[in-house]
PDB file of all heavy atoms in Angstrom:
ATOM      1  N   GLU F 138      90.199 113.599 114.633  1.00 85.00           N
ATOM      2  CA  GLU F 138      91.421 113.003 114.099  1.00 85.00           C
ATOM      3  C   GLU F 138      92.159 112.169 115.154  1.00 85.00           C
ATOM      4  O   GLU F 138      93.054 111.375 114.777  1.00 85.00           O
ATOM      5  CB  GLU F 138      92.329 114.129 113.591  1.00 85.00           C
ATOM      6  CG  GLU F 138      91.763 114.872 112.380  1.00 85.00           C
ATOM      7  CD  GLU F 138      92.731 115.911 111.869  1.00 85.00           C
ATOM      8  OE1 GLU F 138      93.823 116.074 112.473  1.00 85.00           O
ATOM      9  OE2 GLU F 138      92.432 116.561 110.853  1.00 85.00           O
ATOM     10  N   THR F 139      91.872 112.349 116.411  1.00 86.00           N
ATOM     11  CA  THR F 139      92.605 111.576 117.466  1.00 86.00           C
ATOM     12  C   THR F 139      91.894 110.280 117.804  1.00 86.00           C
ATOM     13  O   THR F 139      92.329 109.548 118.674  1.00 86.00           O
ATOM     14  CB  THR F 139      92.692 112.444 118.718  1.00 86.00           C
ATOM     15  OG1 THR F 139      91.383 112.728 119.239  1.00 86.00           O
ATOM     16  CG2 THR F 139      93.443 113.716 118.473  1.00 86.00           C
ATOM     17  N   ASN F 140      90.794 109.965 117.111  1.00 87.00           N
ATOM     18  CA  ASN F 140      90.054 108.734 117.376  1.00 87.00           C
ATOM     19  C   ASN F 140      90.705 107.586 116.656  1.00 87.00           C
ATOM     20  O   ASN F 140      90.702 107.486 115.387  1.00 87.00           O
ATOM     21  CB  ASN F 140      88.581 108.915 116.894  1.00 87.00           C
ATOM     22  CG  ASN F 140      87.716 107.820 117.437  1.00 87.00           C
ATOM     23  OD1 ASN F 140      88.145 106.740 117.797  1.00 87.00           O
ATOM     24  ND2 ASN F 140      86.407 108.118 117.504  1.00 87.00           N
ATOM     25  N   ALA F 141      91.304 106.651 117.409  1.00 89.00           N
ATOM     26  CA  ALA F 141      92.029 105.539 116.812  1.00 89.00           C
ATOM     27  C   ALA F 141      91.130 104.439 116.242  1.00 89.00           C
ATOM     28  O   ALA F 141      91.496 103.811 115.230  1.00 89.00           O
ATOM     29  CB  ALA F 141      92.982 104.937 117.845  1.00 89.00           C
ATOM     30  N   ALA F 142      89.968 104.231 116.826  1.00 89.00           N
ATOM     31  CA  ALA F 142      89.106 103.104 116.439  1.00 89.00           C
ATOM     32  C   ALA F 142      88.702 103.151 114.967  1.00 89.00           C
ATOM     33  O   ALA F 142      88.820 102.128 114.267  1.00 89.00           O
ATOM     34  CB  ALA F 142      87.877 103.053 117.351  1.00 89.00           C
ATOM     35  N   ARG F 144      90.171 104.482 112.434  1.00 91.00           N
ATOM     36  CA  ARG F 144      91.348 104.248 111.611  1.00 91.00           C
ATOM     37  C   ARG F 144      91.655 102.750 111.538  1.00 91.00           C
ATOM     38  O   ARG F 144      92.022 102.212 110.494  1.00 91.00           O
ATOM     39  CB  ARG F 144      92.543 105.054 112.132  1.00 91.00           C
ATOM     40  CG  ARG F 144      92.398 106.547 112.029  1.00 91.00           C
ATOM     41  CD  ARG F 144      93.572 107.268 112.646  1.00 91.00           C
ATOM     42  NE  ARG F 144      93.385 108.718 112.675  1.00 91.00           N
ATOM     43  CZ  ARG F 144      93.706 109.541 111.684  1.00 91.00           C
ATOM     44  NH1 ARG F 144      94.262 109.039 110.578  1.00 91.00           N
ATOM     45  NH2 ARG F 144      93.510 110.819 111.787  1.00 91.00           N
ATOM     46  N   LYS F 145      91.523 102.087 112.668  1.00 91.00           N
ATOM     47  CA  LYS F 145      91.778 100.644 112.707  1.00 91.00           C
ATOM     48  C   LYS F 145      90.687  99.881 111.908  1.00 91.00           C
ATOM     49  O   LYS F 145      90.995  98.898 111.212  1.00 91.00           O
ATOM     50  CB  LYS F 145      91.767 100.130 114.171  1.00 91.00           C
ATOM     51  CG  LYS F 145      93.003 100.530 114.957  1.00 91.00           C
ATOM     52  CD  LYS F 145      93.002  99.871 116.342  1.00 91.00           C
ATOM     53  CE  LYS F 145      94.255 100.138 117.084  1.00 91.00           C
ATOM     54  NZ  LYS F 145      94.275  99.443 118.392  1.00 91.00           N
ATOM     55  N   CYS F 165     100.372 102.677 108.067  1.00 94.00           N
ATOM     56  CA  CYS F 165     101.571 103.510 108.242  1.00 94.00           C
ATOM     57  C   CYS F 165     101.200 104.944 108.671  1.00 94.00           C
ATOM     58  O   CYS F 165     101.823 105.522 109.551  1.00 94.00           O
ATOM     59  CB  CYS F 165     102.384 103.542 106.949  1.00 94.00           C
ATOM     60  SG  CYS F 165     103.312 102.029 106.565  1.00 94.00           S
ATOM     61  N   ASP F 166     100.145 105.491 108.046  1.00 91.00           N
ATOM     62  CA  ASP F 166      99.672 106.811 108.448  1.00 91.00           C
ATOM     63  C   ASP F 166      99.181 106.789 109.888  1.00 91.00           C
ATOM     64  O   ASP F 166      99.398 107.743 110.651  1.00 91.00           O
ATOM     65  CB  ASP F 166      98.535 107.288 107.522  1.00 91.00           C
ATOM     66  CG  ASP F 166      99.025 107.543 106.089  1.00 91.00           C
ATOM     67  OD1 ASP F 166     100.251 107.751 105.929  1.00 91.00           O
ATOM     68  OD2 ASP F 166      98.167 107.496 105.172  1.00 91.00           O
ATOM     69  N   TYR F 167      98.551 105.681 110.244  1.00 92.00           N
ATOM     70  CA  TYR F 167      98.053 105.575 111.611  1.00 92.00           C
ATOM     71  C   TYR F 167      99.225 105.517 112.622  1.00 92.00           C
ATOM     72  O   TYR F 167      99.213 106.165 113.659  1.00 92.00           O
ATOM     73  CB  TYR F 167      97.203 104.286 111.748  1.00 92.00           C
ATOM     74  CG  TYR F 167      96.871 103.895 113.164  1.00 92.00           C
ATOM     75  CD1 TYR F 167      95.783 104.441 113.813  1.00 92.00           C
ATOM     76  CD2 TYR F 167      97.628 102.933 113.826  1.00 92.00           C
ATOM     77  CE1 TYR F 167      95.470 104.105 115.123  1.00 92.00           C
ATOM     78  CE2 TYR F 167      97.331 102.570 115.128  1.00 92.00           C
ATOM     79  CZ  TYR F 167      96.226 103.146 115.756  1.00 92.00           C
ATOM     80  OH  TYR F 167      95.924 102.786 117.051  1.00 92.00           O
ATOM     81  N   MET F 168     100.281 104.745 112.292  1.00 92.00           N
ATOM     82  CA  MET F 168     101.415 104.575 113.192  1.00 92.00           C
ATOM     83  C   MET F 168     102.224 105.868 113.345  1.00 92.00           C
ATOM     84  O   MET F 168     102.901 106.055 114.358  1.00 92.00           O
ATOM     85  CB  MET F 168     102.330 103.455 112.700  1.00 92.00           C
ATOM     86  CG  MET F 168     101.692 102.054 112.677  1.00 92.00           C
ATOM     87  SD  MET F 168     100.859 101.624 114.235  1.00 92.00           S
ATOM     88  CE  MET F 168     102.205 101.797 115.435  1.00 92.00           C
ATOM     89  N   LYS F 169     102.124 106.752 112.360  1.00 91.00           N
ATOM     90  CA  LYS F 169     102.809 108.058 112.531  1.00 91.00           C
ATOM     91  C   LYS F 169     102.177 108.881 113.607  1.00 91.00           C
ATOM     92  O   LYS F 169     102.851 109.732 114.234  1.00 91.00           O
ATOM     93  CB  LYS F 169     102.765 108.823 111.187  1.00 91.00           C
ATOM     94  CG  LYS F 169     103.633 108.226 110.111  1.00 91.00           C
ATOM     95  CD  LYS F 169     103.447 108.978 108.787  1.00 91.00           C
ATOM     96  CE  LYS F 169     104.261 108.334 107.663  1.00 91.00           C
ATOM     97  NZ  LYS F 169     104.047 109.022 106.367  1.00 91.00           N
ATOM     98  N   ILE F 170     100.885 108.624 113.886  1.00 90.00           N
ATOM     99  CA  ILE F 170     100.176 109.371 114.910  1.00 90.00           C
ATOM    100  C   ILE F 170     100.196 108.649 116.252  1.00 90.00           C
ATOM    101  O   ILE F 170     100.385 109.209 117.289  1.00 90.00           O
ATOM    102  CB  ILE F 170      98.692 109.654 114.473  1.00 90.00           C
ATOM    103  CG1 ILE F 170      98.721 110.385 113.126  1.00 90.00           C
ATOM    104  CG2 ILE F 170      97.951 110.409 115.504  1.00 90.00           C
ATOM    105  CD1 ILE F 170      97.327 110.531 112.510  1.00 90.00           C
ATOM    106  N   PHE F 171      99.965 107.318 116.178  1.00 91.00           N
ATOM    107  CA  PHE F 171      99.859 106.480 117.380  1.00 91.00           C
ATOM    108  C   PHE F 171     101.077 105.538 117.407  1.00 91.00           C
ATOM    109  O   PHE F 171     100.938 104.320 117.247  1.00 91.00           O
ATOM    110  CB  PHE F 171      98.565 105.730 117.431  1.00 91.00           C
ATOM    111  CG  PHE F 171      97.345 106.580 117.288  1.00 91.00           C
ATOM    112  CD1 PHE F 171      96.755 106.775 116.066  1.00 91.00           C
ATOM    113  CD2 PHE F 171      96.800 107.192 118.411  1.00 91.00           C
ATOM    114  CE1 PHE F 171      95.616 107.596 115.946  1.00 91.00           C
ATOM    115  CE2 PHE F 171      95.688 107.985 118.304  1.00 91.00           C
ATOM    116  CZ  PHE F 171      95.112 108.212 117.070  1.00 91.00           C
ATOM    117  N   MET F 172     102.285 106.083 117.650  1.00 90.00           N
ATOM    118  CA  MET F 172     103.502 105.305 117.531  1.00 90.00           C
ATOM    119  C   MET F 172     103.686 104.289 118.658  1.00 90.00           C
ATOM    120  O   MET F 172     104.491 103.346 118.534  1.00 90.00           O
ATOM    121  CB  MET F 172     104.715 106.225 117.477  1.00 90.00           C
ATOM    122  CG  MET F 172     104.816 107.003 116.168  1.00 90.00           C
ATOM    123  SD  MET F 172     106.288 108.065 116.133  1.00 90.00           S
ATOM    124  CE  MET F 172     105.759 109.411 117.194  1.00 90.00           C
ATOM    125  N   SER F 173     102.948 104.463 119.772  1.00 89.00           N
ATOM    126  CA  SER F 173     103.101 103.540 120.881  1.00 89.00           C
ATOM    127  C   SER F 173     102.071 102.381 120.849  1.00 89.00           C
ATOM    128  O   SER F 173     102.040 101.588 121.803  1.00 89.00           O
ATOM    129  CB  SER F 173     102.928 104.302 122.219  1.00 89.00           C
ATOM    130  OG  SER F 173     101.631 104.889 122.288  1.00 89.00           O
ATOM    131  N   ASP F 174     101.352 102.241 119.767  1.00 91.00           N
ATOM    132  CA  ASP F 174     100.333 101.174 119.657  1.00 91.00           C
ATOM    133  C   ASP F 174     101.042  99.875 119.257  1.00 91.00           C
ATOM    134  O   ASP F 174     101.399  99.671 118.089  1.00 91.00           O
ATOM    135  CB  ASP F 174      99.300 101.560 118.633  1.00 91.00           C
ATOM    136  CG  ASP F 174      98.106 100.590 118.602  1.00 91.00           C
ATOM    137  OD1 ASP F 174      98.261  99.457 119.061  1.00 91.00           O
ATOM    138  OD2 ASP F 174      97.014 100.985 118.163  1.00 91.00           O
ATOM    139  N   GLN F 175     101.235  98.977 120.201  1.00 92.00           N
ATOM    140  CA  GLN F 175     101.950  97.747 119.923  1.00 92.00           C
ATOM    141  C   GLN F 175     101.134  96.819 119.015  1.00 92.00           C
ATOM    142  O   GLN F 175     101.735  96.114 118.164  1.00 92.00           O
ATOM    143  CB  GLN F 175     102.279  97.017 121.234  1.00 92.00           C
ATOM    144  CG  GLN F 175     103.228  97.813 122.128  1.00 92.00           C
ATOM    145  CD  GLN F 175     103.662  97.014 123.338  1.00 92.00           C
ATOM    146  OE1 GLN F 175     103.989  95.848 123.255  1.00 92.00           O
ATOM    147  NE2 GLN F 175     103.670  97.655 124.486  1.00 92.00           N
ATOM    148  N   GLY F 177      99.283  97.767 116.625  1.00 93.00           N
ATOM    149  CA  GLY F 177      99.469  98.315 115.270  1.00 93.00           C
ATOM    150  C   GLY F 177     100.756  97.854 114.637  1.00 93.00           C
ATOM    151  O   GLY F 177     100.782  97.481 113.454  1.00 93.00           O
ATOM    152  N   TRP F 178     101.853  97.846 115.426  1.00 95.00           N
ATOM    153  CA  TRP F 178     103.113  97.345 114.910  1.00 95.00           C
ATOM    154  C   TRP F 178     103.026  95.876 114.556  1.00 95.00           C
ATOM    155  O   TRP F 178     103.586  95.428 113.533  1.00 95.00           O
ATOM    156  CB  TRP F 178     104.240  97.592 115.899  1.00 95.00           C
ATOM    157  CG  TRP F 178     104.646  99.027 116.056  1.00 95.00           C
ATOM    158  CD1 TRP F 178     104.560  99.827 117.121  1.00 95.00           C
ATOM    159  CD2 TRP F 178     105.265  99.858 115.019  1.00 95.00           C
ATOM    160  NE1 TRP F 178     105.010 101.090 116.878  1.00 95.00           N
ATOM    161  CE2 TRP F 178     105.474 101.119 115.591  1.00 95.00           C
ATOM    162  CE3 TRP F 178     105.643  99.610 113.673  1.00 95.00           C
ATOM    163  CZ2 TRP F 178     106.058 102.176 114.878  1.00 95.00           C
ATOM    164  CZ3 TRP F 178     106.199 100.651 112.963  1.00 95.00           C
ATOM    165  CH2 TRP F 178     106.407 101.913 113.550  1.00 95.00           C
ATOM    166  N   HIS F 204     109.453  98.853 122.893  1.00 92.00           N
ATOM    167  CA  HIS F 204     108.356  98.939 123.851  1.00 92.00           C
ATOM    168  C   HIS F 204     108.420  97.795 124.848  1.00 92.00           C
ATOM    169  O   HIS F 204     108.020  97.948 126.027  1.00 92.00           O
ATOM    170  CB  HIS F 204     107.020  98.927 123.143  1.00 92.00           C
ATOM    171  CG  HIS F 204     106.755 100.080 122.261  1.00 92.00           C
ATOM    172  ND1 HIS F 204     106.455 101.349 122.770  1.00 92.00           N
ATOM    173  CD2 HIS F 204     106.763 100.232 120.910  1.00 92.00           C
ATOM    174  CE1 HIS F 204     106.306 102.182 121.762  1.00 92.00           C
ATOM    175  NE2 HIS F 204     106.488 101.542 120.624  1.00 92.00           N
TER     176      HIS F 204
END
Side-chain angles (χ1 to χ4, degrees):
E138 295 182 356
T139 62
N140 194 337
R144 296 177 184 272
K145 287 185 174 183
C165 285
D166 293 339
Y167 169 84
M168 296 310 304
K169 290 175 183 177
I170 303 172
F171 305 95
M172 289 182 285
S173 61
D174 189 338
Q175 296 186 44
W178 287 116
H204 295 286

